Amino acid sequence: MTTTTPLGSPIELDPEGFFLRPEQWDETMAEPIARENGIGALTERHWQVINFMRHSYLTTGSAPSIRTLGKASGVPVKELYQLFPKGPAKLAAKIAGIPKPRGCI
Amino acid sequence: MNPRIVIIGGGTAGTITANRLSRVYGDDAAITVIDRDDRHVYQPGLLFLPFGLVDPNRLVRSRQAQLRAGINFRLGEVQRIDTEAERVMLAGGEEIPYDVLVIATGATLLPGETQGLTGPGWQERVFTFYTLEGATALRDALRGFDGGRLVINTVDMPIKCPVAPLEFSFLADWHFRERGIRDRVQIEYVTSLDGAFTKAVCNRELSGLLAGKDITVTTEFNTGEVDGTGGRLVSWDDREVNFDLLVTIPLHGGGEVIGSVPGLGDEIGFVRADRSTLQSSLSPNVFAIGDAADVPASKAGSVAHFEGETLVSNIQRFLRGEELEGSFDGHTNCFIETGFGRALLIDFNYETEPVPGLFPEPHIGPLRLLRESRLNHLGKLAFEWIYWNLLLPGRPLPGISDQMQLAGKQLNLLSTK
C-alpha cells in the first residue's frame, strides 16, 4: 500500500499502517501519526521511546519488544502503557516509522 | 597445536555441536563441554508429563554419556568469559583457554521477573511445565482438579518451543474429556501475541482447532502481575483474567554469563549472532547455537539440529582462515500434538511460513504438513528415540535436509509480498 504525504513524497505502508521503509520517515510525520492513533501531543518521554525504537531497529534490524523497551529505553513498562495505551511496542513502532514488530516464532 | 574448542552448555545444541566436531576432527582438536550438572532432560517429554503419559525418570539421562569418546566433559559454573584473553573462567578460579568458543547456554526461565508469579499460590495453583519439577507438580495438581477455570498464559516471547503452550491446551481438553468432566472445566489460552500463532496460514488452522475444542483465546495480553491468592492475571493495561489453576510459561532470558561481557548479548541475555553464519557480532572466534542465540528463529531442538551443520562447517572455515558460509536458513520443524492421538507437523524457515503439503518427500509424504493425522502423532512419539540416537549424536535425519525444501508445499496459499 502506498500513500502520499501532504508534502507530496510517497511512503509505503503495510495494511495496518506500519512503515515498510524506515528511510521514508522523518520527525515531522510523528505527530500526525500519533494523533491518528489517539495520542495527543508527543512529550519528551514519548520521544525518548520513539528514538530508542528507531535506533534499535536501525542497528539490529528488529523492533524491540515491550520487555526490551522496559529494560533498555529508560521508560518503565507501566509508564509505556500510559504513554502509548493498549500496545506500546506496536504503537511506538508505528509512530517511529519502522515495520511492525514480529513476535519471533 | 590442535585447536582448542570450548563449548559452554551440554544441552541439545551443545551436545550436537560437540559430537559433530568430534566426528569431523577426531583427535585433531581438543573439544571441551562445560556444564553445571550432568542431567540432560528430554524437554519435549515435559509436555506429556502433566497428563501422566510419561514417567519423569525416563526423561533424564547423563549429559556426559551423550558425548562421543574423546570429548572432555567438565562440571563447573562458568562465571565469566574474557573474549580479549580468550578464556572462560569457572567458579573456583580455574581458567580454560579457547581458540574457538561456542555458547550453547540455552534459555533460562525467569518466573521471578513477573510480579507475584512466584508468590502465594506458586506450586499450589500456579505451575509451569517447562521444568521437570514443575511438570511433575502440575501432574499431581491436575489429578486433583475436578472443575473450574484452567488458564494457560504465555507471559512474553521469546519462549522455548512456542507451540508447546497450544499443545498443552489441546492435551488438557483431551484429558478432561477422557475423565468425563470437560463440561465442568473452562480452558482459556492467554497470550501476549496478537493471534494463536504469528504466521497467518498456521494461525488460521490453529485458531480453528482451538475453537473446535472450545478453548477460549485472549490475545495481546501482556501480563504485569499474577495474584495467586485471588486467582487473577492482571495485564499492564489493567485487564484481568480469573483462574482456578494457572499454567504459566514464564519470561525467558539468556545465560547469566552472557551479561558478563559487554556487547555479547542483547538486553535479555541472548547472544547477538549472525542469523546465517551463527558467528557472534562481538568476537569472530565466538559462535552461538540453539536457544542461546538471538537469531529470529524458534527456540526449538530442530533448529539446533539444522544449525549444527552450518556451525561446524563455519568453525572449520574460521580455523582455516577462510570466509564463513551463511548457510543457515532458519529451518524449523515441529510436531504439534493436538490430542486424541493426533498431531500436526509444520516445516518453515526465515522466508517461508508453515503451509500444508507433504513431508519429507514431495507428493509422497508420508507425513502431512499442517493437517492433523495419526501418523504425525506417531512421528512425535518416535522423535524421542530419534533425539537420543540420531539428533544428539549429530547424525543426519533420514530424508530431512538441513535447508528447508519448497517442493511438496502448497505455496499458493501464501499472500504475495
Side-chain angles (χ1 to χ4, degrees), chain A residues 67 77 81 90 100 103 105, chain B residues 194 197 220 222 236 252 298:
Chain A
R67 189 172 157 213
V77 175
Y81 272 93
K90 272 196 197 172
K100 183 181 173 182
I105 281 225
Chain B
D194 61 3
F197 198 77
E220 296 188 90
N222 278 282
W236 285 108
H252 285 39
S298 292

Side-chain angles (χ1 to χ4, degrees), chain B residues 183-205:
Chain B
D183 57 338
R184 307 214 302 258
V185 182
Q186 290 163 276
I187 305 178
E188 182 167 346
Y189 178 64
V190 180
T191 171
S192 61
L193 296 173
D194 61 3
F197 198 77
T198 46
K199 315 279 168 113
V201 179
C202 190
N203 184 38
R204 277 202 296 276
E205 183 71 22

